[in-house]
Amino acid sequence: MLTERRRTSALDRVNRPPSAGFTFLWEWIRSVVVALALFFVIRSFFVEAFKIPTGSMEGTLLVGDFLLVNKLVYGAEIPFTGVKLPALRTPARGDVVVFQWPVDKSKNFVKRIVGLPGDTLEMRQGGLVRNGRPQRESYVSHTAPGSDVSDEEFNWQLDYLLSSSAPHKATPLSSVQVASLEASPRYHPSRNNWGPLIVPEGNYFVLGDNRDNSLDSRYWGFVADSLVRGQPLVVYYSYDPDGAVKLDWLTRVRWKRFGEMIQ
């Protein structure tokens, strides 16, 4: 028979607050879950870290720079859906952007947009010409100005060549393709001399600021708008990599680059 004392004791055990150890564990788990959720949301929709692995943007970005990339500006992608949120603005000429490499989408590249849809682009002796006008690009560096290389990788340009009878005019793609077939025997593009090409709708033409050492649109073509991931904002950490130095990420820090805005 359940006596009054036993009933009271049982109720006390049921209503007893959890132990201090259990409370601490629960609060710790909840904090970790909230922190991970916030990290996922921020990384997916707002800001993501990115490291510069090559010298293709030398002069603006250095090997060993760590960047914070604004993913919201061009419309962040909703994870696992392939759907993008509305963009704050569209990419503009001169923007430095991070994008998925069209050849291998598992890799991210950072370059500068020099051509928008409908632009005609060409290069003469290493100088960019856009819509018939030579461009003054103060951010460009040349590390091997005396050399010029030609490669079969440039042959993709044949499908986008403009007709010589209508230079710097946005000819419909079908006409461009016809003109390219006629021009192909005479067209020998190189790193410093190519075009004129027309940028198709929904795509961008990108170049590295280090024009003599950059694997960019000259070699593999245009970047689709859907592949653009964001715009670098600032260098939050930087060091001078040297495989021969132990802990180079601590001993070869570039303090002056901390907080440098990317333009």
Side-chain angles (χ1 to χ4, degrees):
M1 181 177 179
L2 185 64
T3 65
E4 182 64 25
R5 178 180 295 178
R6 289 181 178 178
R7 189 172 71 85
T8 302
S9 177
L11 289 174
D12 288 343
R13 286 195 297 270
V14 171
N15 296 324
R16 183 182 302 164
S19 65
F22 178 81
T23 301
F24 172 79
L25 179 62
W26 168 246
E27 291 296 331
W28 183 83
I29 292 174
R30 187 171 65 174
S31 298
V32 169
V33 170
V34 171
L36 289 175
L38 286 174
F39 172 78
F40 178 78
V41 170
I42 292 172
R43 186 179 184 276
S44 298
F45 299 107
F46 295 98
V47 177
E48 184 175 353
F50 183 81
K51 179 185 177 183
I52 299 298
T54 72
S56 67
M57 288 292 290
E58 188 173 325
T60 301
L61 300 172
L62 304 178
V63 177
D65 280 352
F66 288 74
L67 319 176
L68 290 180
V69 178
N70 181 353
K71 302 181 71 174
L72 196 62
V73 61
Y74 302 135
E77 182 178 309
I78 301 175
F80 315 116
T81 67
V83 177
K84 276 192 169 186
L85 296 175
L88 300 181
R89 68 174 181 85
T90 57
R93 300 185 189 99
D95 283 0
V96 177
V97 296
V98 172
F99 57 92
Q100 293 173 282
W101 187 27
V103 178
D104 181 355
K105 295 181 177 61
S106 66
K107 298 179 180 179
N108 292 322
F109 276 25
V110 57
K111 307 289 181 188
R112 190 182 297 273
I113 291 178
V114 300
L116 300 179
D119 281 344
T120 60
L121 301 171
E122 58 187 302
M123 188 167 281
R124 295 292 171 253
Q125 302 303 319
L128 181 67
V129 180
R130 182 168 56 231
N131 299 326
R133 297 180 179 180
Q135 301 299 302
R136 299 179 62 182
E137 301 176 290
S138 58
Y139 43 77
V140 168
S141 65
H142 291 280
T143 54
S147 65
D148 190 15
V149 295
S150 182
D151 195 287
E152 290 184 357
E153 290 180 289
F154 294 109
N155 289 342
W156 69 268
Q157 299 177 8
L158 294 174
D159 291 335
Y160 299 91
L161 274 178
L162 289 180
S163 170
S164 59
S165 62
H168 318 306
K169 183 179 179 181
T171 309
L173 186 58
S174 58
S175 300
V176 172
Q177 291 174 325
V178 172
S180 71
L181 293 176
E182 297 174 349
S184 58
R186 303 188 302 274
Y187 185 61
H188 302 288
S190 64
R191 186 188 67 198
N192 297 337
N193 294 276
W194 48 266
L197 313 174
I198 181 172
V199 183
E201 287 299 318
N203 288 268
Y204 306 102
F205 196 95
V206 298
L207 293 175
D209 288 354
N210 183 357
R211 293 290 161 81
D212 301 332
N213 185 28
S214 175
L215 182 64
D216 48 38
S217 285
R218 293 173 292 185
Y219 294 84
W220 38 256
F222 306 105
V223 176
D225 181 72
S226 60
L227 299 181
V228 177
R229 299 193 59 190
Q231 182 180 33
L233 294 176
V234 64
V235 177
Y236 72 89
Y237 181 77
S238 182
Y239 75 100
D240 186 10
D242 187 342
V245 178
K246 293 183 178 180
L247 299 178
D248 55 354
W249 57 278
L250 283 178
T251 59
R252 298 173 62 86
V253 177
R254 301 188 187 106
W255 297 103
K256 291 184 178 180
R257 290 192 61 77
F258 283 36
E260 184 166 326
M261 304 302 294
I262 300 166
Q263 298 178 346

